[in-house]
Amino acid sequence: MFDAHTRILNARLSRRRAAALGAGAAGLGIAGNPLGFHLHAQERSTINLASNASDPAPRERLAGQIENFNASQDQYTVEINTTAHEDFKQAIRTYLASDSPPDVLTWFAGNRMRFFSNNNLLMPLDDLYTENGWDTTLPEGIRAVSNGDDGSYYFVPTSYYAWAVWYRPSVFEEIGVEPPTTWDEFLAVVDAASDAGKVPITIGTQMPWTAAAWFDYFNMRVNGPEFHISLMDGKEAYNSEDVKNAFGPWRELLDRNAFIPQPEAYAWQDALTPLVQGDAAMYLMGRFLYDSFPDDSQDDLDFFQFPIIDEGVPVGEDAPTDGYFASVNAPNPEGAKALLSYLGSAESQTWNVEQAGDPAVHPDVSLDLYNDATRRSVEMLQEADYIAQFYDRDTHPDLAERGMSAFIEFWNTPDDLDAILDRLDEDRKRVYESDS
Amino acid sequence: MGATTTAYESRRQVDGVDRYRKKRNWRPLRIALFYAIVIPFLLIWLVPIFMTLVTAVRSLDDITMNGPFSWPSEIHLDNFAEAWDTGGLRQYMINSFIVTIPALAICLSLSSLAGFALARFRFRGNLVIYFTFVGGSLLPFQILMLPVYRLANTLNLYDTYWALIIFHGAFQIGFCTFVLRNFIKTIPGEIFDAARIDGASEFRIYRQHVLPLILPALAALSTLQFTWIFNDYLWALILVQRDSLKPVTTGLASLRGEFIQAYNIQFAGTLIAVIPTVILFVFLQRYFIQGLTMGSGK
Amino acid sequence: MADLSLAPAAQSVSAARKQGRRWHKATPILFLLPPLLLYAMWVIGPMFYSVWMSFTNADGISRQDFVGLANYRRLFNDDIFWTSFFNNIRWLVAFITIPIVTGLGLALLLNNDLPGTRFFKAGFFSPMVVSSVVIGIVWSWMYQPYGLINEVLAWLGRDGMPIGFLADPDIVTWAIIAAGLWRQVGYVMLLYLAGLNNVDQTLVEASRVDGASTFRSFRDIVLPQLQPITVIIVVISIIDALRSFDLVNIMTRGGPYNQSNVLAQFMYIEAFNNYNMGYGAAIATILALISMVFIFTYLRRMVKTEIDY
């Protein structure tokens, strides 16, 4: 994989560099150089890019994209500053509110972005959207999560990834089951796995977002994505009958001991080991699970869509969308826009995908570039009726924290569900009433 | 004194056997017992450290496939090199030094002034000021985070070395004043009286007499402060944005991904980052012991 | 007004002597001014600013309206606050008792010149120099259901389900405290070694010869001489117990569902993740108050018994 990376990178660099040098030389020639043969390189202004891409592979990909960008023009050079992904979620506020904010930052689409745009910390990008034609080419669902409450565009989406239930075909063969599509089939797989002495579903809830995924899917499968988004926006009550119904299938799984015991003890990555070792059958996880899987076992890894519980309900999928935005007080606004244009282009996204990055948002990126599993996951998303951003990106962070705690509490003491949901709803009322 | 000596000597001759020799005969058994207790206990105590070392030389796939408790399938010493280069450890270590040394200088010089004043002079408000310093050192950093961040921004120090240097220098004054004040209080008053009679100004007394006497305490504080400031994580997160300025722990933390923690590289980097602190401790060990004791008894 | 320059002591001494002092009135001020100013600007000032913020509904970016005691009222009704509060008490109690006893014990044990002792001392101290991130991760691994500790327990004959150290809400806080103590003991040991080094050996021997048992001479001669270092240790222990934030953050992030949460972690998430800066400031204020109460009761006792030279 990395050989291909280097070859592509070198190919692009040499083409571009030649072009740039040529242009630069020509420019200097025209301007004249009366002082002699010592050529001064044109001063590049710096663009400060604050990145949360702290995982090894995405970090390298971003570095590669930036190298391409630097080589493709000679006005700007980008300085990447990386912060640990989790820390970035807290540090980003200090970055944006400081008197020397970064120019461009990585972030998530949807409500998490809107908090900043509503507080006038982001640069409006309507002109950029028009210039690049994104207001017509990007799918509507994607554009809907890239604008602020005032209707202006603030966010440049670049990639997204699907969530699904991952399994190992060899393990399924051993148990003697096929990938399920309906809820009953799914329960049958769970039972078969238990009978075969396997852990049906592995999960690590040390960081509770993994549990939030289950909530998202149960809620969307039982109540439909429209209700789900309404709940995320604080417009529905957590202790309503509808929400309680969503916990029904979850309870079924808990009663069957479908999950690995004591999941809070594992980080999500630690819980991957049973799947790798063949002791666990399934894992509800994002596509990045594929990247963490040991290279030589990756062909024995596949996924299926989260089972349909109610045939009549529209299909919603979680597909967190990542991208970039710019500070309203960016020290280098022209540079910021240039970088954003580049990152939002089909060209840079194609390059990213060629390096095994997450699926690109731009529709002009060919589906043939993806490996089989990824392509099918993108098709799954394209067929979905609705794309959600994931629990902790769709709802206010304060409520997300409380909600995720509630899910873990339910996991531990499912009989307390009513009391748990009552308390959670108190929080919902507090958070959404005070929100401006 | 004489009575004790006699009793002492008479004890020695009990039963006609020299008591000390009796004690000496026990020693080999006691020594053996000592090692038999300490060594196993220490080995068990250090299990987490061993795990750190072992993890630092494994590959990430190895850890994922075989879990954290297995022996490495192969040894990857290049993890250390990777932490140093790609991990950026080299720059982070340099940054840690750039921040720690000046902060130490600021803190120790100002604390010794304050400690001296509080220890030597009786004046109204002495205890209040003393408690202010002590109390401030107990403040949880969270209560300071946002205001200090804002202050740094107002002074245009945000995202500079100076923000960290000045803040750490200022904050540690609390604890250092606490220790130094108590230490200086144990210096016998005669030294000061003698110096004053010689006509020395207070500042000269401070410089010529107090400073040399508190060197052990300064050394001890240096090692403690060095550990704290060098390895600081959260303040660097709040006050600094660019990678080129981040100190060691904050820098290494950026190896924690959203999805993947490169445990092996992180641990390797941490082990390297430990080296300066260890060297300092070994170097100043002699002073450390003396410096933290209250008595100037020699 | 007295002359404020640092004139030769003889001159001002005679002037001061008329007022009954032997040093210039302004001297302490001059010594204290630089440190006090810096400290006031970066520590005391910000603290008051935070306290003020706790009476507002600040979100750290735009909003900051005065709301009186609303944040505090909300705190007292917040389950998470009380869970965190009592966890902090647990941390404090554990940190003030266990490391002192164990650290002193280790110091006494290792207070000799036998070959290798220096190495042993360094060994026990080594956890202190390793970053808490690494400690948190490694201990999390050890606590896993099929991790080291459960495996050892099973090997020793224990049957039944593995203990969910970090998963069981009743023991998770103690599990994290154990990791914190493991790190702290070596540190306290080192401090006590320093203290023991200063104990007057002749007094000890004299008491032994006078017929006192080892234990009596320890209690009556050695312990009192260790009191000054114990003061430092208690203060440090309180500071470190309340700084427990990093281990909690790494190992459980306060979970499962906030059962291992501590005020420091709670405040951090509220202020920096949930945009509730005013609320976070209220939590931080309470956290500061708790530490103050502990310390000042202790320090006041110490100051009263202080020997002035």
Side-chain angles (χ1 to χ4, degrees):
Chain A
M1 183 183 101
F2 290 111
D3 284 334
H5 159 124
T6 328
R7 262 186 277 119
I8 296 176
L9 189 52
N10 286 339
R12 299 223 165 178
L13 282 179
S14 48
R15 275 208 310 272
R16 291 252 154 78
R17 198 164 274 155
L21 279 174
L28 281 167
I30 292 170
N33 193 11
L35 292 177
F37 61 89
H38 186 47
L39 297 169
H40 292 281
Q42 201 172 352
E43 267 303 312
R44 285 172 175 253
S45 66
T46 318
I47 305 176
N48 182 346
L49 168 61
S51 151
N52 64 358
S54 54
D55 292 276
R59 196 175 190 161
E60 263 191 69
R61 285 193 285 266
L62 181 61
Q65 279 186 302
I66 296 303
E67 268 184 69
N68 292 347
F69 175 72
N70 285 337
S72 72
Q73 42 75 39
D74 53 9
Q75 276 182 289
Y76 309 108
T77 182
V78 178
E79 182 188 289
I80 308 179
N81 294 297
T82 313
T83 307
H85 193 99
E86 195 55 42
D87 293 335
F88 191 87
K89 291 181 189 164
Q90 283 92 48
I92 186 176
R93 308 174 66 253
T94 56
Y95 297 164
L96 283 174
S98 73
D99 62 352
S100 63
D103 295 298
V104 176
L105 303 96
T106 54
W107 200 232
F108 319 122
N111 281 334
R112 278 217 115 150
M113 175 265 302
R114 291 200 186 102
F115 176 78
F116 298 123
S117 64
N118 290 344
N119 277 296
N120 301 315
L121 289 169
L122 303 184
M123 189 191 288
L125 301 173
D126 295 310
D127 47 354
L128 215 63
Y129 265 71
T130 327
E131 235 172 79
N132 288 297
W134 296 333
D135 51 354
T136 44
T137 46
L138 285 181
E140 207 233 293
I142 297 289
R143 273 184 288 130
V145 292
S146 306
N147 55 19
D149 286 338
D150 59 357
S152 278
Y153 288 112
Y154 289 98
F155 186 77
V156 176
T158 54
S159 64
Y160 62 162
Y161 59 90
W163 275 70
V165 182
W166 296 82
Y167 70 101
R168 306 202 62 191
S170 60
V171 172
F172 265 36
E173 217 179 290
E174 206 184 308
I175 306 176
V177 288
E178 293 284 312
T181 45
T182 69
W183 184 245
D184 289 325
E185 285 170 18
F186 185 72
L187 288 178
V189 171
V190 166
D191 289 334
S194 296
D195 291 337
K198 309 269 182 204
V199 172
I201 307 171
T202 177
I203 183 172
T205 58
Q206 196 181 60
M207 300 294 139
W209 50 268
T210 45
W214 286 92
F215 175 75
D216 274 358
Y217 276 102
F218 282 130
N219 201 26
M220 287 198 288
R221 291 287 186 267
V222 169
N223 295 317
E226 213 178 298
F227 177 82
H228 182 69
I229 292 306
S230 196
L231 180 67
M232 295 296 105
D233 284 339
K235 301 195 183 103
E236 308 282 347
Y238 267 94
N239 50 4
S240 62
E241 275 310 302
D242 291 318
V243 175
K244 288 189 190 168
N245 287 337
F247 281 88
W250 202 339
R251 184 67 195 263
E252 275 186 283
L253 289 179
L254 287 172
D255 288 340
R256 283 174 149 81
N257 292 320
F259 296 102
I260 195 173
Q262 292 166 14
E264 305 95 333
Y266 303 105
W268 90 265
Q269 205 178 333
D270 299 331
L272 187 55
T273 305
L275 191 67
V276 173
Q277 290 177 334
D279 295 327
M282 302 178 274
Y283 203 165
L284 173 64
M285 197 35 76
R287 196 203 68 90
F288 49 83
L289 176 143
Y290 189 81
D291 290 335
S292 302
F293 222 71
D295 288 334
D296 47 6
S297 315
Q298 272 174 347
D299 354 313
D300 187 25
L301 185 63
D302 203 354
F303 73 91
F304 57 85
Q305 188 180 33
F306 195 92
I308 305 295
I309 299 180
D310 189 337
E311 287 291 323
V313 167
V315 173
E317 295 290 335
D318 267 341
T321 306
D322 296 328
Y324 304 85
F325 55 36
S327 308
V328 72
N329 291 323
N332 189 348
E334 292 309 314
K337 289 190 173 167
L339 181 58
L340 286 175
S341 285
Y342 178 76
L343 290 167
S345 69
E347 191 191 341
S348 83
Q349 290 181 26
T350 303
W351 187 89
N352 196 39
V353 165
E354 280 167 353
Q355 306 306 316
D358 279 334
V361 146
H362 203 291
D364 288 346
V365 177
S366 162
L367 282 179
D368 296 327
L369 291 170
Y370 300 119
N371 64 44
D372 186 61
T374 309
R375 186 174 40 80
R376 279 184 296 120
S377 73
V378 173
E379 281 164 2
M380 177 180 80
L381 290 180
Q382 287 173 340
E383 280 157 31
D385 297 311
Y386 191 85
I387 305 281
Q389 289 298 301
F390 199 84
Y391 189 74
D392 66 352
R393 297 189 188 190
D394 279 324
T395 196
H396 192 282
D398 191 345
L399 190 56
E401 286 295 317
R402 304 274 169 152
M404 294 194 289
S405 281
F407 304 148
I408 303 293
E409 201 179 343
F410 164 73
W411 204 300
N412 264 269
T413 49
D415 292 328
D416 291 345
L417 181 61
D418 286 343
I420 294 172
L421 288 179
D422 283 336
R423 266 181 279 131
L424 186 55
D425 201 59
E426 289 301 313
D427 286 316
R428 172 193 70 93
K429 293 196 199 117
R430 173 181 53 82
V431 170
Y432 280 98
E433 243 136 47
S434 69
D435 211 297
S436 47
Chain B
M1 209 52 186
T4 320
T5 319
T6 316
Y8 176 77
E9 289 200 343
S10 63
R11 285 277 169 139
R12 280 195 76 164
Q13 288 307 318
V14 149
D15 308 354
V17 176
D18 189 316
R19 268 208 148 195
Y20 269 111
R21 200 173 300 140
K22 207 174 186 181
K23 269 191 173 169
R24 270 198 295 267
N25 281 336
W26 281 21
R27 290 211 82 203
L29 183 60
R30 276 173 114 192
I31 294 177
L33 208 62
F34 170 75
Y35 285 113
I37 295 179
V38 172
I39 294 185
F41 186 53
L42 181 65
L43 286 176
I44 296 178
W45 191 262
L46 290 183
V47 160
I49 305 281
F50 291 139
M51 281 195 66
T52 309
L53 288 167
V54 167
T55 307
V57 296
R58 297 173 72 178
S59 76
L60 198 54
D61 275 352
D62 182 8
I63 301 176
T64 310
M65 277 200 286
N66 302 315
F69 296 108
S70 41
W71 288 110
S73 50
E74 358 163 88
I75 305 281
H76 277 255
L77 285 176
D78 48 320
N79 286 347
F80 291 98
E82 194 171 330
W84 188 255
D85 295 315
T86 332
L89 189 58
R90 188 179 150 273
Q91 184 62 41
Y92 300 144
M93 297 269 280
I94 295 177
N95 291 339
S96 267
F97 276 107
I98 294 182
V99 167
T100 311
I101 311 280
L104 261 181
I106 294 177
C107 164
L108 291 176
S109 54
L110 293 180
S111 307
S112 55
L113 288 173
F116 175 65
L118 291 175
R120 294 310 311 165
F121 305 118
R122 230 176 257 139
F123 57 92
R124 223 174 22 180
N126 183 317
L127 272 184
V128 168
I129 297 182
Y130 173 59
F131 278 169
T132 306
F133 280 119
V134 176
S137 70
L138 309 170
L139 288 176
F141 68 86
Q142 288 88 351
I143 205 175
L144 302 174
M145 272 167 110
L146 189 68
V148 169
Y149 161 75
R150 288 212 170 142
L151 183 59
N153 269 291
T154 316
L155 296 174
N156 276 326
L157 291 176
Y158 177 74
D159 211 21
T160 64
Y161 285 121
W162 284 111
L164 287 172
I165 294 173
I166 298 181
F167 174 74
H168 282 304
F171 183 73
Q172 300 297 347
I173 291 179
F175 181 73
C176 294
T177 305
F178 164 64
V179 171
L180 288 174
R181 178 262 196 192
N182 289 318
F183 193 82
I184 296 177
K185 254 204 189 288
T186 65
I187 298 177
E190 300 81 62
I191 298 183
F192 298 100
D193 294 339
R196 279 204 199 98
I197 289 171
D198 283 345
S201 76
E202 289 301 321
F203 191 73
R204 213 145 48 120
I205 296 178
Y206 160 77
R207 205 184 45 177
Q208 277 184 340
H209 294 100
V210 176
L211 279 185
L213 283 177
I214 63 173
L215 267 180
L218 290 179
L221 282 173
S222 297
T223 40
L224 282 179
Q225 298 299 315
F226 186 88
T227 317
W228 288 340
I229 303 177
F230 195 81
N231 291 308
D232 161 64
Y233 170 63
L234 268 145
W235 287 106
L237 199 61
I238 299 292
L239 293 175
V240 151
Q241 189 256 325
R242 280 173 293 155
D243 282 351
S244 49
L245 301 176
K246 285 178 185 161
V248 142
T249 320
T250 319
L252 276 182
S254 73
L255 287 173
R256 281 165 70 191
E258 172 185 19
F259 305 128
I260 301 172
Q261 266 204 56
Y263 294 128
N264 50 345
I265 310 288
Q266 222 186 339
F267 285 21
T270 306
L271 287 171
I272 300 180
V274 150
I275 296 175
T277 312
V278 166
I279 293 179
L280 195 68
F281 264 103
V282 166
F283 205 53
L284 291 178
Q285 197 195 50
R286 189 166 31 119
Y287 293 112
F288 190 86
I289 301 289
Q290 293 174 298
L292 277 187
T293 56
M294 301 298 239
S296 58
K298 241 177 288 215
Chain C
M1 193 57 215
D3 179 0
L4 285 180
S5 64
L6 282 175
Q11 213 177 31
S12 47
V13 156
S14 57
R17 267 216 189 99
K18 289 177 193 154
Q19 296 170 302
R21 269 179 285 105
R22 275 176 291 150
W23 36 271
H24 197 289
K25 182 163 77 166
T27 314
I29 300 176
L30 286 162
F31 273 91
L32 281 170
L33 214 55
L36 259 186
L37 274 180
L38 198 64
Y39 203 64
M41 187 161 131
W42 287 90
V43 180
I44 306 299
M47 181 194 79
F48 282 117
Y49 185 83
S50 270
V51 173
W52 177 73
M53 247 202 322
S54 72
F55 297 114
T56 72
N57 63 359
D59 66 358
I61 295 185
S62 51
R63 194 178 61 198
Q64 197 151 335
D65 315 311
F66 188 75
V67 292
L69 288 174
N71 285 326
Y72 290 96
R73 257 180 272 133
R74 200 185 124 201
L75 262 187
F76 292 134
N77 286 318
D78 193 339
D79 285 335
I80 304 181
F81 169 74
W82 289 111
T83 314
S84 308
F85 177 80
F86 286 116
N87 280 336
N88 268 112
I89 302 291
R90 291 182 180 101
W91 274 87
L92 275 167
V93 168
F95 261 61
I96 299 180
T97 52
I98 298 175
I100 289 188
V101 169
T102 332
L104 182 56
L106 274 177
L108 288 170
L109 187 62
L110 295 179
N111 189 31
N112 55 50
D113 288 322
L114 291 176
T117 306
R118 189 175 290 193
F119 176 72
F120 299 148
K121 290 178 194 169
F124 280 109
F125 184 71
S126 56
M128 267 309 271
V129 295
V130 178
S131 117
S132 37
V133 172
V134 171
I135 294 181
I137 295 175
V138 172
W139 275 84
S140 301
W141 286 345
M142 292 190 352
Y143 280 141
Q144 278 177 3
Y146 293 99
L148 203 62
I149 299 186
N150 273 309
E151 290 296 299
V152 166
L153 286 174
W155 179 73
L156 287 174
R158 184 183 170 273
D159 288 319
M161 288 286 293
I163 304 179
F165 289 101
L166 294 183
D168 184 337
D170 295 325
I171 58 180
V172 58
T173 292
W174 295 112
I176 308 179
I177 289 179
L181 288 175
W182 171 79
R183 184 174 52 168
Q184 191 76 357
V185 163
Y187 183 36
V188 173
M189 173 200 77
L190 202 75
L191 294 172
Y192 268 127
L193 279 171
L196 281 175
N197 200 57
N198 226 53
V199 167
D200 196 339
Q201 270 303 112
T202 54
L203 288 181
V204 179
E205 282 175 8
S207 86
R208 293 254 190 90
V209 164
D210 277 346
S213 70
T214 320
F215 177 70
R216 274 275 300 279
S217 66
F218 174 72
R219 194 192 63 186
D220 296 332
I221 310 287
V222 178
L223 269 189
Q225 291 190 58
L226 288 179
Q227 199 236 8
I229 196 77
T230 305
V231 170
I232 295 190
I233 291 175
V234 169
V235 172
I236 290 180
S237 299
I238 295 180
I239 298 179
D240 286 344
L242 294 174
R243 270 196 195 149
S244 55
F245 166 77
D246 37 10
L247 280 178
V248 170
N249 194 34
I250 298 290
M251 291 171 85
T252 59
R253 209 156 166 266
Y257 55 100
N258 293 306
Q259 294 309 298
S260 67
N261 212 350
V262 288
L263 291 176
Q265 166 75 6
F266 181 37
M267 185 272 180
Y268 182 67
I269 294 297
E270 283 293 332
F272 286 85
N273 198 64
N274 301 349
Y275 311 134
N276 296 330
M277 282 254 98
Y279 194 56
I283 303 172
T285 307
I286 300 221
L287 187 56
L289 279 174
I290 297 178
S291 17
M292 300 296 178
V293 164
F294 266 82
I295 294 284
F296 284 120
T297 9
Y298 188 79
L299 272 186
R300 242 180 15 149
R301 266 184 39 204
M302 185 208 87
V303 167
K304 279 192 183 136
T305 62
E306 206 170 48
I307 310 162
D308 267 43
Y309 278 85

